Amino acid sequence: MGGNDVSSDQVVEKLIEMGFENSDAVEAVKAVGPSVDAAVEYVLNGCGRDNLSSSTNSQPSSRDFKSLGKRVMTSSQCKGQMRQSRIWDHFQSTSKPKRSRGNDLSDGVVSRSQVLHGSVEEHKGPFLLINSQLENVAEPFQVSCTEELDVGSNWESKVNSLLRKHFGYSSLKRFQKEALAAWLTHQDCLVLAATGSGKSLSFQIPALLTGKVVVVVSPLISLMHDQCLKLSKHGVSACFLGSGQPDSSVEQKAMRGMYSIIYVCPETILRLIKPLQRLAENRGIALFAVDEVHCISKWGHDFRPDYGRLSILRENFSARSLKFLKYNIPIMALTATATVRVRQDILDSLCLSNETKFVVTSFFRPNLRFSVKHSRTSAPSYGTDFSQLIDVYARNKKIDEMKQPSVSCEFHCQSDSDNSYASDFNDIEESDDENSGKENGPNSSRERQMSVEYLENDVDIFQHVEDWDVAYGEFGGQVLCEEWNSHGPPETIDPPNKPEERLRILQEPLERGPTIIYVPTRKETLSIAKYLCKFGVKAAAYNAAVVVATMAFGMGIDKLNVRRIIHYGWPQSLEAYYQEAGRAGRDGKLADCILYANLSRVPTLLPSKRSEEQSRRAYRMLSEIFRYGMNTSCCRAKILVEYFGEDFGDEKCLLCDVCVDGPPNMQDLKEEANILMQIIAARYAESSFMDGSCDDFLCSDIDRQKFLAKPNLRTFVGKIREQSQNFVTTELLWWKGLARIMEAKGFIREGDDKIHVQIKFPEPTKRGLAFLQSESDKAFCVYPEADMLLSMRKPTAYSSFSNWGKGWADPEIRRQRLEKIWSSNRKPRKPRKRKSKKHLPDTSTSRVIGFSTSFFFVLPGLKKWQRQQVLIEKLRIISQALEQAEERAMRFQERHDRILGQICSYYMVNQDLEDALAGARAAMNEALEFAVGLRKMQLLILRSIDEVDAFYLG
Ligand SMILES: Nc1ncnc2c1ncn2[C@@H]1O[C@H](COP(=O)(O)OP(=O)(O)OP(=O)(O)O)[C@@H](O)[C@H]1O
Ligand SMILES: [Mg+2]
C-alpha cells in the first residue's frame, strides 16, 4: 500500500481511518514519509506520541497496541460484512450468534481522542454507535481530565442541538440545566426531582458533550436494561455491568472505553476501581452518577448496604489520588424520593464536597389523582374492588378483538413480534384474547397465559443484588431506532400546573392505558392476576394490559402511558408508595393512583431480617403511610410532597379524593377527648396504683411485671365504657382514631419504648394535662379520620377470640349482667358452706392467667362488709386480668397471622418451610391452651360473682 503515489494527506487520512490518532498519524508521516506501512510501523513501535499516559500501571502493553493495529487492519478488510451492533449484543450474547474474534475490537483500548475525533468510524458494534453519536455532536468540547472544561458561553445551545438530534426534545428543563452547569464547573450535585421528570438526561448529556465515559451506579438490572435500550434508540452506546450481565466480555470492553455510558450496580463497581482508574486516564470519565441514590440511606425505603460503600468513588477518583486529574471527577446523585434526613445521609455517605450543588424541583406531580379506599384486600373483596377495572378492560373487548391483529403474547417471543416492552405492555391484550379463544376456550387459555413463568422474576424480600434482577424479554435496538426515527419522540404533554387546568382534566375521562397493581407478596400477584384473567382482563405478564407485581417491579422504568397504579394492601412506606405511584402518568395526562387498604387494621411489616434499629425505622415509616391512609382532611398530594420537605403552602392538587369529595363534617369531640384524657391522666396520677396491695394474688415476678405493665389504649377504653353510658357502644377503632388525633395535637404520647404504627400505650403530656385543666368552653373540633368514619359506618367484626372475650371481660356486659343478677327476684341465698377444696381452681388455669389459688377463697373470719369489699376488689382485679388476657389472646392471634404470612413468603422462596409451619403450630397450640384456660377462668369468675351476689343480698 505504501509508495510515493499517495500524498501525505491521504496517508494521514488512511491512518485515521484505521483507528490511529490524528496527531500520531501526522507525526508518523512527517517522520517516515507518505507510506502507510512505514507510518503504521512507526506508530506501533511507540515512536509516535501515544495518546495514552506514561503511567506504568495504566499504560496498555505493546501487545495492546499490536492487537489494535492488527484489529484495525482486519476490521477495515472486513468492512463490507459489518453490521451495526444491536443493544442485544451487549446484553445477551449467549443466545445470539457470537461475532468472530477477528472482528471483535475488545482487545483494544479506546482513547478519548479516538472517540473525539471519530477515528474508529469503521468498526462495528459499540464503535459505530460512538461514532454515530459523535457525528451528531456538532463540535464536541475538547475536554480532558487534565484540563478545565472548555465550555464556552454557548454550551446551552450545543446541548440543545444534541438534545434535538438524539432525543427529539427542543430544550433542557431548568433543573437539567442547573445540574449540567454544576457538572461543567466540576461541582458535585444532588438532584432531587419528581419521578418521571427527566433526571437521566442530566447525566447522559455529559457523555455526549465530552466523548468521555459516564459511569452510572444504579440499583436494578431492569432499570439499567431499560435505560440502555433507550440510549441505543438514540444512538448512544451503553452497557450494563452486574450480576444480570451474562456476557463477560462486555465488562472488558467497557473498561477499555468502548461504551459512552456504563451502568453498573454498586456491588460490581466496588471491584472495578482499578480498571476504572485506567479508563479515567485513557478515554476519561466525565462523571459518576449515582441514580436512585436514596438507596444509600438507612433512613430511606430501599436501603442497599453496598450503596453505603460508594464513598470509594470520591477516595479513588479525586485529583489527590490520581495525579493526571486536575479536578475530582464530579459525582451527581439523583433521586425522586429523599426526605431531609436521607439527603444528609447522601452527602455524608458519598463524601460529597461542601460546595455540592443542590438541584431541587417540586415533588408535585399535578396530573396524578391520589385516593385511598377501604378494603380487606383479600380474595372476597376482589369482586367489589376490581369491578371497575374489569369494566375498563373487558368492556370493549369484542370490538377490539375484531380490530387487532393476532399477536402472540408469550413472553419469550416478544422480540419476534418486534414490539418493545413498552408497546407490548400497552396494546396486545385484545389480540391475545382472540388467540386464546381459538385455542382452548377462554378460561384454560387465559390461565395458561398467566402461569408463573410470565410473572416478574423477583422476590418479596430482597437483601442481595440478585434479588433485584428482573429478567426482560429480548428486544432489537435497530427496530426501535427505526421506529423512533419515523415517529419521533412519544407524545407527552405538559402536566396541568395551573389549578384551572387541573380542574379541566378532571372532567375528562381517564384514558384506557396500562395498569400496574402492586401487592405485597407474589402469592397475591398470582391470585389477583388469576381473578382478573377469569373476567377477560389480560393480567400478569409484562405484555398484558394489567401487570400485577410486587414492589421490585419498575423503579425508574420510563413507561410513559401507565394510567393506573393500584396498591392493593399497605405499602411499607410513603417513599415506596410515592416512588411506585410515580410510575403513572409520565406522559403528563391524567392518571390514577389508588391505594386499597384495610383501614380498620394497622399495617404490618413484610417479613425480613432486620436489626432492632432497622425495625424501629421500618415501623416509623409504616406509621407514616398509615397516617396518610387515615387522613380525611388534607390534600393527599400536599401530604406527599411535604413529607419530602417541600412547602406546599395553601396549594391543593384539586384531584385527590379529599380535594374532590371534601373532608367529612367537623365534629366537636370535646367530651370524648376530655374523658379519654381524664382516664389516662388518672392512671398516671395514681401513685398508689398497684403499690403491692395485690401481691398476694400474683405468683411470680413475671406475673407481677405483666400485671403492673402499662395499660394500653384498650384498657382505657374499657374504663371509659365502665364510667360513661354515653360511650358504651363506641368502638375501640373509633377511640384509636381519636387517640391518634390527640397524639398529633401533642396531648398524649406513646409511653412504650417500642415504636408502634398506632399509639398503643398512651401517656399524658403537659399540654394534654393543661387541656384537661382548662375550663374554657372552647370546642374541640376535629375531622374524624378514616378509621373513625369506618367504625361509625358498620360494626366491627369480632374475631372468634374477642367474641367470647366480649362476655364478662366487657365492662358494659359485665355491668348489665351484674345488674340483672342484683335486680333479680330470686330470694337471697344464704352463702353455702363449701369445702374449700371444691373451690380450688384448676392450677393449670391459674398458672396461665397468673393468680395464686388463694385468690379464689373468700377469707374466713372477716365481717360481711369486709368480705364484700374483698370480693369487689377481687372482681375488679379479675376484670382487669381478663382485659389483659384478652389482649394477650389478640397478640397470639396476631402472632399466628404473622407466622402464617411468613409461611406464605417462606414458601415462595422455598426456605425453612418446616420451621415456619412448626412455629405456627406451636403458636396455635399455645393460643388454644390459653383459650381453654380463659374459659375455665370465666367459670371461676362466675362463681366469685355468685359469692358477691350472696353477700350483697345476704
Ligand atoms: N428536556 C426534556 N424535554 C422533554 N422531555 C424530557 C426532557 N428530559 C427528559 N424528558 C423525558 O422525561 C421522561 C422521564 O425521564 P427519566 O426516566 O429520566 O425520569 P426520571 O426523573 O429519572 O424518573 P424516575 O425518578 O422514575 O427514575 C423521559 O421520557 C424523557 O425522555
Ligand atoms: Mg430515573
Side-chain angles (χ1 to χ4, degrees), residues 49-50 151 177 253 259 318 390 479 482 539 573 582 600 619-620 637 688 696 733 787 797 908:
R49 183 192 61 79
D50 68 56
V151 292
K177 237 183 266 177
K253 289 185 214 165
Y259 301 95
S318 64
I390 290 167
V479 173
E482 282 158 21
S573 68
S600 65
Y619 273 115
R620 194 166 291 127
S688 59
D696 292 359
L733 190 63
D787 45 0
M908 287 302 160

Side-chain angles (χ1 to χ4, degrees), residues 196 199-200 203 223 227 291-292 556-557 586:
K199 292 183 287 297
S200 319
F203 59 75
L223 175 53
Q227 298 228 341
D291 202 10
E292 310 294 351
I557 302 267
R586 283 169 174 242

Side-chain angles (χ1 to χ4, degrees), residues 87-88 91 223-236 238 240 263 420-422 472-473 475-478 480-481:
I87 195 80
W88 181 253
F91 299 147
L223 175 53
M224 302 189 214
H225 200 277
D226 183 67
Q227 298 228 341
C228 288
L229 167 64
K230 283 254 148 64
L231 287 166
S232 85
K233 276 204 255 178
H234 304 309
V236 183
F240 71 83
Y263 284 88
S420 70
Y421 146 71
Y472 273 63
F475 45 76
Q478 277 173 315
L480 294 167
C481 256

Side-chain angles (χ1 to χ4, degrees), residues 290 293 296 310-311 314 331 333 345-352:
V290 185
V293 70
I296 220 163
L310 290 178
S311 58
R314 181 42 32 92
I331 297 176
D345 259 11
I346 294 169
L347 295 183
D348 297 342
S349 310
L350 286 175
C351 299
L352 297 188

